Amino acid sequence: ETGVTQSPTHLIKTRGQQVTLRCSSQSGHNTVSWYQQALGQGPQFIFQYYREEENGRGNFPPRFSGLQFPNYSSELNVNALELDDSALYLCASSSGPSTGISEKLFFGSGTQLSVL
Amino acid sequence: AQSVTQLGSHVSVSEGALVLLRCNYSSSVPPYLFWYVQYPNQGLQLLLKYTSAATLVKGINGFEAEFKKSETSFHLTKPSAHMSDAAEYFCAVRPMSGSARQLTFGSGTQLTVLP
């Protein structure tokens, strides 16, 4: 049990719709990152938030956006859903310096998104 | 750009046998390296990480990995497989000067342990 919770666990949407996924970080963690894991692939970094500001982004289009709230919970929003957006979306929380190697990521169990 | 390659998308071993999961990285300078495990319907759990302090890294659940710069490898081993080791394993890399969270993962190796 990592203390990182994601909701919902499963979601079905149709192409063109918008979706919001939620993540509650472990207590005391001020950083959250989001990953997309397509079937049979490793997770791919989407972006990260530190103290409510985006401070790193992977190779994902602008229709992937996020928010981090003062209580350090987070949302991932995806607009204009495409079939290829079907994947497991993982969030990970952490605390400490942004470049600290001693820092540990705590992953949630993910939200399985299916786009039909 | 850094990348990792995991050789073998599926590996099967008998219970009690040696586990060897292969990972090679591509980087102009030695990066930080990680192994994560993912059980069904769960998130990723860190097994171990290489941070340049020692080339042989011991992790949880009896796993260890050896960093070999000359081979650009970071293979994961366990002397004796247990049924509970059945899971998917991911090798990951990040540059020493980059963000702590911007990991690049390999495509994973599914480990099956046969009775």
Side-chain angles (χ1 to χ4, degrees), chain A residues 34-86:
Chain A
W34 285 89
Y35 287 80
Q36 180 196 65
Q37 186 177 8
L39 188 63
Q41 300 295 318
Q44 279 193 296
F45 176 77
I46 303 175
F47 47 56
Q48 68 189 30
Y49 280 79
Y50 174 64
R51 294 184 175 178
E52 304 176 54
E53 292 197 3
E54 183 181 303
N55 72 338
R57 189 176 185 91
N59 189 27
F60 279 81
R63 60 188 184 86
F64 285 79
S65 62
L67 284 172
Q68 187 182 31
F69 300 101
N71 66 355
Y72 300 130
S73 64
S74 175
E75 289 182 353
L76 165 64
N77 298 289
V78 186
N79 294 321
L81 284 168
E82 300 177 359
L83 298 179
D84 286 347
D85 295 333
S86 296

Side-chain angles (χ1 to χ4, degrees), chain A residues 99-111:
Chain A
T99 58
I101 189 57
S102 60
E103 177 183 311
K104 184 177 179 180
L105 290 179
F106 293 83
F107 282 86
S109 300
T111 294

Side-chain angles (χ1 to χ4, degrees), chain B residues 3-8 22-26 35 72 75 91 105-109:
Chain B
S3 64
V4 290
T5 302
Q6 292 184 240
L7 300 175
R22 300 178 186 273
C23 173
N24 288 87
Y25 68 90
S26 172
W35 276 100
T72 61
H75 301 331
C91 182
F105 286 87
S107 56
T109 297

Side-chain angles (χ1 to χ4, degrees), chain B:
Chain B
Q2 298 187 324
S3 64
V4 290
T5 302
Q6 292 184 240
L7 300 175
S9 58
H10 291 82
V11 170
S12 293
V13 300
S14 298
E15 191 173 19
L18 171 71
V19 175
L20 171 60
L21 304 182
R22 300 178 186 273
C23 173
N24 288 87
Y25 68 90
S26 172
S27 176
S28 57
V29 295
Y32 292 134
L33 292 156
F34 306 79
W35 276 100
Y36 280 85
V37 61
Q38 187 176 35
Y39 297 100
N41 302 316
Q42 293 188 27
L44 300 168
Q45 180 182 7
L46 180 66
L47 279 177
L48 49 80
K49 62 184 177 184
Y50 166 73
T51 62
S52 77
T55 57
L56 183 61
V57 182
K58 294 187 182 299
I60 62 172
N61 302 338
F63 284 94
E64 63 181 35
E66 185 173 8
F67 173 75
K68 291 187 177 180
K69 182 178 178 180
S70 61
E71 299 177 8
T72 61
S73 68
F74 190 57
H75 301 331
L76 182 70
T77 61
K78 182 174 181 178
S80 177
H82 191 273
M83 297 296 289
S84 62
D85 294 327
E88 186 141 28
Y89 293 80
F90 293 94
C91 182
V93 64
R94 61 150 275 216
M96 290 189 177
S97 60
S99 163
R101 295 150 216 100
Q102 195 155 350
L103 297 170
T104 300
F105 286 87
S107 56
T109 297
Q110 181 67 48
L111 176 66
T112 300
V113 181
L114 305 171

